[in-house]
Amino acid sequence: NAGVTQTPKFQVLKTGQSMTLQCAQDMNHEYMSWYRQDPGMGLRLIHYSVGAGITDQGEVPNGYNVSRSTTEDFPLRLLSAAPSQTSVYFCASTYQGTSGPFEQFFGPGTRLTVL
Amino acid sequence: AQKVTQAQTEISVVEKEDVTLDCVYETRDTTYYLFWYKQPPSGELVFLIRRNSFDEQNEISGRYSWNFQKSTSSFNFTITASQVVDSAVYFCALGEETSGSRLTFGEGTQLTVNP
């Protein structure tokens, strides 16, 4: 199993450009999430999904879109990049057992710089 | 709203010292889940432990131990006989019962273990 994969690893954008961060998992997990990590602020939830076709907003959704057409893939779209979106982005997946949610499996992260 | 506070931003110890990382959480849920993750300098997020709100037993795994006290809403993490390889950022996180994809993270504690 590859686990959770993210591409690209690094990206530099200019203000106003759009792009999609890719995330895929091969563990058949129903739950997937996107977080951003900024210095001194921990990880903050951007968007999440509880299954194919179902997405919802997290704590900091503005400027980002998601869709979930398959169980495996959960891309994050930046509509018009801003310097405030400079961050490290992590994708995660997990599953819900009878005893509640299990730990989230994280991808390696994408380091995004917006100039 | 859920909240996790890790009041110690940075801790520096000398190898072989014991160190405790504090985590205090807030939630209105009666069922919830607590996690600890390690982020070494390489940047990936490594799962350490998951604990549900009904299980207040302390846990020990090698040099790591966790103390869960519901009465004080705390889930503290102790490393015994610290080693240089323990140097990392440690995150405490709080999860909801019904959605494994929504985690609220603390801001993290940077632990530096000096030789």
Side-chain angles (χ1 to χ4, degrees):
Chain A
N1 283 357
V4 180
T5 57
Q6 291 183 238
T7 55
K9 283 190 167 54
F10 302 94
Q11 183 71 49
V12 179
L13 292 178
K14 293 182 180 176
T15 296
Q17 287 186 316
S18 62
M19 79 159 295
T20 299
L21 307 186
Q22 301 292 346
C23 174
Q25 53 95 5
D26 61 359
M27 298 173 281
N28 202 33
H29 286 169
E30 60 213 37
Y31 294 100
M32 296 187 74
S33 313
W34 276 102
Y35 296 86
R36 59 178 287 174
Q37 182 179 18
D38 302 298
M41 299 187 75
L43 280 78
R44 292 181 293 167
L45 183 65
I46 305 171
H47 285 286
Y48 66 101
S49 169
V50 299
I54 307 170
T55 64
D56 206 346
Q57 296 180 353
E59 180 186 353
V60 288
N62 292 342
Y64 308 95
N65 270 357
V66 292
S67 60
R68 184 113 178 257
S69 56
T70 68
T71 300
E72 296 77 20
D73 299 300
F74 191 41
L76 178 72
R77 281 182 288 278
L78 279 70
L79 309 173
S80 176
S84 60
Q85 294 179 303
T86 293
S87 189
V88 180
Y89 291 85
F90 287 97
C91 179
S93 74
T94 189
Y95 57 102
Q96 193 87 357
T98 54
S99 61
F102 286 84
E103 74 272 18
Q104 295 205 5
F105 295 78
F106 284 87
T110 294
R111 187 173 293 274
L112 175 69
T113 301
V114 183
L115 303 175
Chain B
Q2 312 222 10
K3 186 178 179 182
V4 176
T5 301
Q6 294 180 255
Q8 304 148 310
T9 306
E10 295 181 22
I11 299 176
S12 181
V13 299
V14 177
E15 210 169 16
K16 297 184 185 174
E17 281 186 37
D18 299 346
V19 58
T20 295
L21 309 182
D22 297 333
C23 173
V24 174
Y25 61 91
E26 296 175 29
T27 180
R28 292 189 185 141
D29 295 342
T30 53
T31 302
Y32 50 89
Y33 298 83
L34 295 161
F35 303 83
W36 275 94
Y37 283 87
K38 173 182 180 180
Q39 187 175 45
S42 50
E44 74 270 24
L45 286 152
V46 178
F47 166 75
L48 296 177
I49 190 170
R50 164 187 179 267
R51 179 51 50 91
N52 74 51
S53 54
F54 293 112
D55 182 1
E56 289 194 69
Q57 273 194 326
N58 291 333
E59 180 152 342
I60 298 174
S61 176
R63 296 184 297 107
Y64 295 170
S65 62
W66 289 269
N67 179 252
F68 176 31
Q69 293 206 342
K70 217 167 171 178
S71 59
T72 56
S73 297
S74 64
F75 188 43
N76 297 338
F77 173 34
T78 296
I79 301 175
T80 302
S82 59
Q83 300 176 1
V84 172
V85 292
D86 295 327
S87 296
V89 181
Y90 291 86
F91 291 100
C92 180
L94 174 63
E96 302 175 4
E97 178 187 14
T98 55
S99 177
S101 44
R102 293 177 63 100
L103 284 187
T104 300
F105 281 80
E107 294 177 356
T109 296
Q110 169 72 60
L111 173 66
T112 302
V113 182
N114 299 298

